[in-house]
Amino acid sequence: MALATSTTGTSSSSDDWQATKRTIRERTSLMINNPLMSDVKFAVPLDPGSSTGSGSQLIYAHKLLLSLSSPVFHAMFYGNVADTREIIPLSDCHSRSLIEFIRYLYSDEVHLTSGNVFELLYLAKKYIVPFLAESCCRFLESELRETNVFRILEHARLFSEPDLEQRCWQLLEAKTTACLQSEGLLWISRDTLSSLLKRDTLSLVDGECAIFKAARRWAAANCKLRDFEPTGDKLRGVLKEVLYLIRFPMMPPRLFEDIVVPSGILTEQEISQVHMFHKQGASSTACHVKFSCKPRGPRIQSGSSDAQLSRCYRYRENQTFPSSECFNSVSESLRFSTSREVYFAGVRLYAHKDEDKQYSAQLRVSRCHGLKEEVSATRGIYTVGYLAGQVHNRLGFDVLIPNPFLLTKESPFAVRISISGNDGARVSPNKGIPMTFVKCEGIEFKFEGKSRQILEILFYTVD
């Protein structure tokens, strides 16, 4: 009489069970956690939350079948120093995960879930079962979200899975702000946090302030694990060299004063250096500041980028009307929001109906929600000209900010511009009537305000 079994180790009698199974896979599948012909048992911890409480469970296995799929098991059972114990304790996995691992070794089938995939990936690496590791990585890629990206990233780095790690970094760069708000951030290693803060291409709605808050949350969680009071000195001690990867000079001065200085993380000398940078700019103080002065932003800053600049034109075609009036300067503001995330790059301004005239212009951009702070500004001398292919209605000049930044969907931002001329090139107002709603590149723009000199919003789409 033979025994057929379930994966719980219980058996039922059957004299001819082999004759009922067509393939070797079906027959070996019956051996999963089956005492029939078992010549080795594993004692493993019960799964958390098990109804039988804490303790261990015996899992039945078969040396031959294990060794056919894993070189580690082959060396363990048939090598020069074979393990002859009948019961082998395994403390680094739980019973359900080990049964699922044995299922794969016996039948090439595996039932992956968010609850067992990390242990199965660990077992696949430990016992050198590369195709199971591939299945685990594919599953994790399909499940990758802002809420679990840090946990998956930590395992990808631990088990040297570069493709999975790259997918995690891609999500982190595209959705940085949402990812930083997840609880998974608190449990990553200092090395992973360091790798995150070294990246230049993070997409931050609240700028470098979001990086500081995330690092402070991580440090506070680690202080709690060590029973430390999260004072400035303790937070600094936990962060160690990671502190110098936060780009404090890139924070708006008011937020630096209100959020960073009271935390006590920085020394008086470091605070003074950042203050000096805010007052005098990069040219005179960058070499004396301990922190990077390079803004973070999307990959479109790279010279090798193929990103295409998009233009949202606020008027109907051929609906700009030069005025006969002229002024020394014109200042206006425009409030707008978008239906999808985009990277703001600048504006195109109207100044005169004639080409080649030069004007000085200033552009400032502020958010109208959350941290109501100026997020970008630029100024310079610009020459009026036409855009290729748009001869009739695009006369003006582009004002581009040095570092495009992320606009979250349906979040209002304010653009303020100032155009100044001279005796030979005075500013001519535009008398056209702009539209309130414009659809461009599949994105809906909503405009509020009476600005007419701002012809276009310049932006990059988010992949």
Side-chain angles (χ1 to χ4, degrees):
M1 181 179 290
L3 296 174
T5 188
S6 70
T7 56
T8 61
T10 58
S11 306
S12 60
S13 300
S14 176
D15 289 324
D16 56 354
W17 61 271
Q18 297 92 335
T20 66
K21 304 301 177 185
R22 182 181 298 274
T23 65
I24 184 65
R25 177 184 292 182
E26 291 178 291
R27 293 189 286 276
T28 55
S29 293
L30 278 180
M31 296 295 103
I32 300 170
N33 196 21
N34 191 336
L36 176 65
M37 296 183 283
S38 171
D39 51 2
V40 65
K41 294 184 283 290
F42 296 104
V44 295
L46 291 169
D47 291 283
S50 172
S51 59
T52 57
S54 60
S56 62
Q57 177 181 346
L58 289 181
I59 306 298
Y60 297 92
H62 308 78
K63 294 180 180 180
L64 175 62
L65 294 179
L66 296 175
S67 300
L68 284 174
S69 299
S70 164
V72 175
F73 280 129
H74 183 268
M76 181 187 299
F77 298 129
Y78 299 103
N80 293 331
V81 188
D83 192 331
T84 59
R85 291 176 293 175
E86 290 187 8
I87 299 178
I88 299 176
L90 294 179
S91 60
D92 55 357
C93 65
H94 293 92
S95 56
R96 289 184 183 177
S97 296
L98 183 61
I99 290 173
E100 203 59 46
F101 180 60
I102 292 174
R103 183 196 308 282
Y104 182 84
L105 299 184
Y106 284 25
S107 67
D108 292 332
E109 294 181 358
V110 63
H111 302 152
L112 292 172
T113 68
S114 58
N116 68 18
V117 64
F118 293 111
E119 277 199 3
L120 285 171
L121 179 58
Y122 166 74
L123 291 170
K125 289 291 185 175
K126 177 181 178 180
Y127 294 104
I128 313 180
V129 187
F131 296 110
L132 175 58
E134 287 182 11
S135 296
C136 292
C137 289
R138 285 196 299 270
F139 177 84
L140 289 171
E141 286 186 14
S142 69
E143 294 292 306
L144 190 60
R145 303 288 187 275
E146 294 93 326
T147 53
N148 62 17
V149 62
F150 284 113
R151 187 181 184 193
I152 295 176
L153 174 63
E154 196 72 13
H155 283 81
R157 289 165 61 86
L158 176 64
F159 296 124
S160 301
E161 290 291 345
D163 292 340
L164 180 59
E165 180 180 353
Q166 182 59 27
R167 288 292 301 274
C168 292
W169 287 126
Q170 289 172 353
L171 177 59
L172 278 163
E173 289 183 345
K175 305 286 185 180
T176 309
T177 299
C179 293
L180 290 179
Q181 294 171 355
S182 71
E183 289 299 307
L185 167 75
L186 306 182
W187 312 117
I188 61 175
S189 66
R190 185 185 292 106
D191 184 62
T192 299
L193 180 64
S194 176
S195 296
L196 173 67
L197 268 56
K198 287 177 182 178
R199 303 184 83 82
D200 295 326
T201 52
L202 301 178
S203 303
L204 298 162
V205 175
D206 290 332
E208 199 66 19
C209 186
I211 292 292
F212 171 72
K213 288 181 177 179
R216 185 174 60 182
R217 282 179 61 220
W218 180 91
N222 278 265
C223 283
K224 185 176 181 180
L225 287 176
R226 305 178 189 187
D227 292 326
F228 291 164
E229 186 71 23
T231 61
D233 288 342
K234 293 297 184 182
L235 293 173
R236 182 185 181 94
V238 169
L239 286 169
K240 295 184 177 179
E241 70 281 357
V242 173
L243 177 68
Y244 296 100
L245 300 177
I246 304 173
R247 304 176 186 185
F248 292 105
M250 295 296 97
M251 295 180 62
R254 183 178 68 82
L255 295 182
F256 180 77
E257 287 293 327
D258 293 348
I259 297 174
V260 178
V261 174
S263 70
I265 288 180
L266 297 184
T267 65
E268 290 295 329
Q269 181 182 18
E270 291 164 347
I271 293 172
S272 177
Q273 290 175 352
V274 176
H275 282 162
M276 188 67 67
F277 180 92
H278 286 156
K279 290 180 180 179
Q280 300 183 9
S283 58
S284 61
T285 62
C287 58
H288 303 296
V289 178
K290 296 180 180 180
F291 311 100
S292 172
C293 302
K294 181 179 180 180
R296 303 184 199 267
R299 201 174 294 278
I300 52 178
Q301 296 183 71
S302 172
S304 61
S305 173
D306 296 326
Q308 181 67 41
L309 183 66
S310 298
R311 298 172 176 272
C312 178
Y313 187 54
R314 299 178 57 226
Y315 295 84
R316 290 184 174 85
E317 296 302 313
N318 302 319
Q319 290 297 306
T320 53
F321 301 98
S323 170
S324 58
E325 300 177 283
C326 290
F327 301 95
N328 288 330
S329 64
V330 172
S331 296
E332 294 181 341
S333 64
L334 176 69
R335 181 169 166 154
F336 75 98
S337 59
T338 60
S339 62
R340 279 173 36 198
E341 290 184 339
V342 300
Y343 290 111
F344 179 85
V347 296
R348 185 168 182 82
L349 302 181
Y350 177 85
H352 202 275
K353 62 183 179 63
D354 296 331
E355 287 187 85
D356 299 327
K357 291 186 178 294
Q358 287 193 333
Y359 296 87
S360 63
Q362 182 179 30
L363 166 66
R364 292 179 295 141
V365 189
S366 305
R367 60 174 55 88
C368 303
H369 65 285
L371 300 172
K372 297 180 180 179
E373 186 73 27
E374 184 174 293
V375 292
S376 188
T378 189
R379 65 190 309 164
I381 305 296
Y382 304 90
T383 303
V384 175
Y386 287 105
L387 278 177
Q390 306 290 342
V391 174
H392 298 294
N393 57 0
R394 295 293 199 276
L395 187 64
F397 53 85
D398 290 348
V399 180
L400 298 171
I401 60 174
N403 300 289
F405 64 90
L406 184 68
L407 302 178
T408 51
K409 66 178 183 179
E410 299 178 356
S411 297
F413 282 77
V415 175
R416 295 175 175 82
I417 61 102
S418 177
I419 308 173
S420 300
N422 51 55
D423 291 340
R426 303 186 72 188
V427 182
S428 175
N430 171 30
K431 293 299 184 180
I433 300 177
M435 294 184 288
T436 302
F437 297 95
V438 179
K439 193 167 186 177
C440 177
E441 303 287 349
I443 301 166
E444 293 182 357
F445 285 75
K446 179 182 178 181
F447 297 102
E448 300 178 40
K450 297 181 179 180
S451 170
R452 297 185 179 181
Q453 304 302 114
I454 301 175
L455 298 178
E456 298 172 332
I457 298 294
L458 310 181
F459 65 98
Y460 294 97
T461 57
V462 177
D463 295 333

